[in-house]
Amino acid sequence: MLHRLKLLPLAIGVALTGISIPAMAWDTLDGSAPLVIGHRGASGYTPEHTLESYAKAIDLGADFIEPDLVMTREGVLIARHEPTLASTTDVASRPEFAARKTTRMLDGVSTTDWFASDFTLAEIKTLRAVQPVASRDQSQNGLYEIPTLDEVIALAQSRSASLGRTIGIYPEIKHSTYHRDLGLPMEDALVSKLHAAYGNTRTAPVFIQSFEVSNLKYLNSTTDIRLVQLVDADDVNPDGSLSLVAPYRQPYDFVVSGDSRLFSDLLTPEGLAEIATYADGVGPWKPYLLRTVADNVDRNGDGVITINDRRIEGDTGVIDAAHAAGLLVHTWTFRNDRSQYGFSDPQLEMEAYFRLGVDGVFTDYPDTGFAARAVVAVPEPETYALMLAGLGLVLAAKARRR
Ligand SMILES: [Ca+2]
Ligand SMILES: [Ca+2]
């Protein structure tokens, strides 16, 4: 409720200056409105990581679009959630690529699939995206190409110009250590593209994100573009604590270097203080922020007890601690069709996180995020009354002076 109290001086200030548009004082790091980030585009509606999905996200109100990045054989950055291609493209149905199916270790996990690094960009461009979530619209399968980072940047910049509002990009370096071990290091290639498109400045409408740590520390020495440390986990325990099982136990570069710290250690005051030495924000999985417990009540009434029925037990203090360390908090992932911890409605879930003061949300459904932010942005009725009363006093005083 803290931000509601912040509105009082704001309301008086608004009244004294005669500005009649009420403004929300958010509990975000800098008081500005939180970001709606189109997670893999508008991936709830359109196959993820396609220009069509990013364009849809922009149409639905996203402030930023999120390309996850992997590399082709010749080192071109392309947008895919994983270096593997089977779940999000039609590669498995293409006889000319049947022999490319192979087994590699991916962050310690033996993985059999088609890997982007075994394909040239020209070959990647012959593939078509498919919707990987069976319950989502399958009618656009086979229609859209796999975009390069260059194409994503061009889309964001052209849509920014045509719409008159800035569309940012939020690239994620996927599996940094894995790519480096293949001889395809991603960091310099990404920075080079971003500097060419936006300049080397922290005011660029760009955040670079990674689950690994050492690559972000390196990037902090090579670019002023803002950096975000992602923090993962694999599940939520019945008591509300986070379950940490490999490969979601530690940043993979910690596994390789023998650093014993877990993802959860990054969110202690000490962990956050260290992140603040090299990054501008932290991106924790949302259960790290809002504490929930399982109590065997079917809150969403679907007849089964799942993680979605959990009871909310307040917040964990991580947002305030991150803000105290000077870090933005961008959390993920909000989906209309799943993972609504403790909530029966996906918009209400995002509203709750906005009220807690997160600085941004990643969502597969940017329209729901946009609607949630609009609801939270509207001051409560008593605040309106205060503002109107203040404005009335000013107008009356002006009238007497005439
Ligand atoms: Ca991502
Ligand atoms: Ca249920």
Side-chain angles (χ1 to χ4, degrees), residues 297-306 308-309:
V297 175
D298 183 15
R299 288 196 166 71
N300 63 3
D302 65 356
V304 289
I305 303 295
T306 69
N308 295 337
D309 297 309

mmCIF file of all heavy atoms in Angstrom, residues 297-306 308-309, ligand 2:
data_model
loop_
_atom_site.group_PDB
_atom_site.id
_atom_site.type_symbol
_atom_site.label_atom_id
_atom_site.label_comp_id
_atom_site.label_asym_id
_atom_site.label_seq_id
_atom_site.Cartn_x
_atom_site.Cartn_y
_atom_site.Cartn_z
ATOM 1 N N VAL A 297 -6.380 -26.592 -1.450
ATOM 2 C CA VAL A 297 -7.651 -25.963 -1.817
ATOM 3 C C VAL A 297 -7.632 -25.705 -3.331
ATOM 4 O O VAL A 297 -6.664 -25.154 -3.852
ATOM 5 C CB VAL A 297 -7.845 -24.628 -1.055
ATOM 6 C CG1 VAL A 297 -9.109 -23.920 -1.537
ATOM 7 C CG2 VAL A 297 -7.883 -24.875 0.444
ATOM 8 N N ASP A 298 -8.711 -26.113 -3.988
ATOM 9 C CA ASP A 298 -8.800 -25.950 -5.454
ATOM 10 C C ASP A 298 -9.286 -24.536 -5.784
ATOM 11 O O ASP A 298 -10.424 -24.315 -6.137
ATOM 12 C CB ASP A 298 -9.755 -27.018 -6.013
ATOM 13 C CG ASP A 298 -9.849 -26.955 -7.539
ATOM 14 O OD1 ASP A 298 -8.986 -26.307 -8.164
ATOM 15 O OD2 ASP A 298 -10.805 -27.544 -8.077
ATOM 16 N N ARG A 299 -8.387 -23.581 -5.702
ATOM 17 C CA ARG A 299 -8.797 -22.168 -5.825
ATOM 18 C C ARG A 299 -9.323 -21.812 -7.216
ATOM 19 O O ARG A 299 -10.187 -20.962 -7.352
ATOM 20 C CB ARG A 299 -7.628 -21.242 -5.477
ATOM 21 C CG ARG A 299 -7.330 -21.252 -4.003
ATOM 22 C CD ARG A 299 -6.458 -20.114 -3.525
ATOM 23 N NE ARG A 299 -6.542 -20.078 -2.066
ATOM 24 C CZ ARG A 299 -5.995 -20.997 -1.276
ATOM 25 N NH1 ARG A 299 -5.313 -21.985 -1.780
ATOM 26 N NH2 ARG A 299 -6.157 -20.927 0.031
ATOM 27 N N ASN A 300 -8.793 -22.430 -8.245
ATOM 28 C CA ASN A 300 -9.285 -22.069 -9.582
ATOM 29 C C ASN A 300 -10.404 -22.996 -10.051
ATOM 30 O O ASN A 300 -10.882 -22.877 -11.173
ATOM 31 C CB ASN A 300 -8.134 -22.019 -10.596
ATOM 32 C CG ASN A 300 -7.467 -23.367 -10.796
ATOM 33 O OD1 ASN A 300 -7.890 -24.364 -10.220
ATOM 34 N ND2 ASN A 300 -6.425 -23.379 -11.604
ATOM 35 N N GLY A 301 -10.822 -23.902 -9.155
ATOM 36 C CA GLY A 301 -12.026 -24.683 -9.417
ATOM 37 C C GLY A 301 -11.967 -25.606 -10.613
ATOM 38 O O GLY A 301 -13.001 -25.935 -11.200
ATOM 39 N N ASP A 302 -10.755 -26.063 -10.971
ATOM 40 C CA ASP A 302 -10.671 -26.945 -12.139
ATOM 41 C C ASP A 302 -10.652 -28.422 -11.749
ATOM 42 O O ASP A 302 -10.426 -29.296 -12.593
ATOM 43 C CB ASP A 302 -9.460 -26.597 -13.005
ATOM 44 C CG ASP A 302 -8.142 -26.834 -12.289
ATOM 45 O OD1 ASP A 302 -8.161 -27.196 -11.086
ATOM 46 O OD2 ASP A 302 -7.087 -26.669 -12.926
ATOM 47 N N GLY A 303 -10.899 -28.700 -10.458
ATOM 48 C CA GLY A 303 -11.047 -30.092 -10.040
ATOM 49 C C GLY A 303 -9.756 -30.801 -9.678
ATOM 50 O O GLY A 303 -9.778 -31.942 -9.228
ATOM 51 N N VAL A 304 -8.619 -30.128 -9.904
ATOM 52 C CA VAL A 304 -7.341 -30.738 -9.522
ATOM 53 C C VAL A 304 -6.521 -29.724 -8.726
ATOM 54 O O VAL A 304 -6.644 -28.515 -8.914
ATOM 55 C CB VAL A 304 -6.516 -31.209 -10.748
ATOM 56 C CG1 VAL A 304 -7.163 -32.429 -11.379
ATOM 57 C CG2 VAL A 304 -6.375 -30.080 -11.773
ATOM 58 N N ILE A 305 -5.720 -30.249 -7.817
ATOM 59 C CA ILE A 305 -4.843 -29.385 -7.030
ATOM 60 C C ILE A 305 -3.497 -29.296 -7.737
ATOM 61 O O ILE A 305 -2.819 -30.310 -7.925
ATOM 62 C CB ILE A 305 -4.644 -29.973 -5.607
ATOM 63 C CG1 ILE A 305 -5.988 -30.160 -4.902
ATOM 64 C CG2 ILE A 305 -3.709 -29.072 -4.806
ATOM 65 C CD1 ILE A 305 -6.737 -28.886 -4.615
ATOM 66 N N THR A 306 -3.150 -28.093 -8.146
ATOM 67 C CA THR A 306 -1.862 -27.892 -8.815
ATOM 68 C C THR A 306 -1.167 -26.680 -8.203
ATOM 69 O O THR A 306 -1.700 -26.031 -7.284
ATOM 70 C CB THR A 306 -2.035 -27.625 -10.328
ATOM 71 O OG1 THR A 306 -2.642 -26.333 -10.494
ATOM 72 C CG2 THR A 306 -2.906 -28.689 -10.985
ATOM 73 N N ASN A 308 -1.054 -23.963 -9.401
ATOM 74 C CA ASN A 308 -1.869 -22.770 -9.649
ATOM 75 C C ASN A 308 -2.854 -22.460 -8.528
ATOM 76 O O ASN A 308 -3.476 -21.405 -8.525
ATOM 77 C CB ASN A 308 -2.639 -22.919 -10.960
ATOM 78 C CG ASN A 308 -1.706 -22.985 -12.154
ATOM 79 O OD1 ASN A 308 -0.575 -22.522 -12.080
ATOM 80 N ND2 ASN A 308 -2.177 -23.564 -13.231
ATOM 81 N N ASP A 309 -3.041 -23.410 -7.599
ATOM 82 C CA ASP A 309 -4.022 -23.215 -6.528
ATOM 83 C C ASP A 309 -3.391 -22.697 -5.237
ATOM 84 O O ASP A 309 -4.068 -22.583 -4.215
ATOM 85 C CB ASP A 309 -4.719 -24.559 -6.231
ATOM 86 C CG ASP A 309 -5.506 -25.061 -7.428
ATOM 87 O OD1 ASP A 309 -6.309 -24.286 -7.967
ATOM 88 O OD2 ASP A 309 -5.292 -26.216 -7.827
HETATM 89 CA CA CA B 2 -7.065 -26.344 -9.338
#
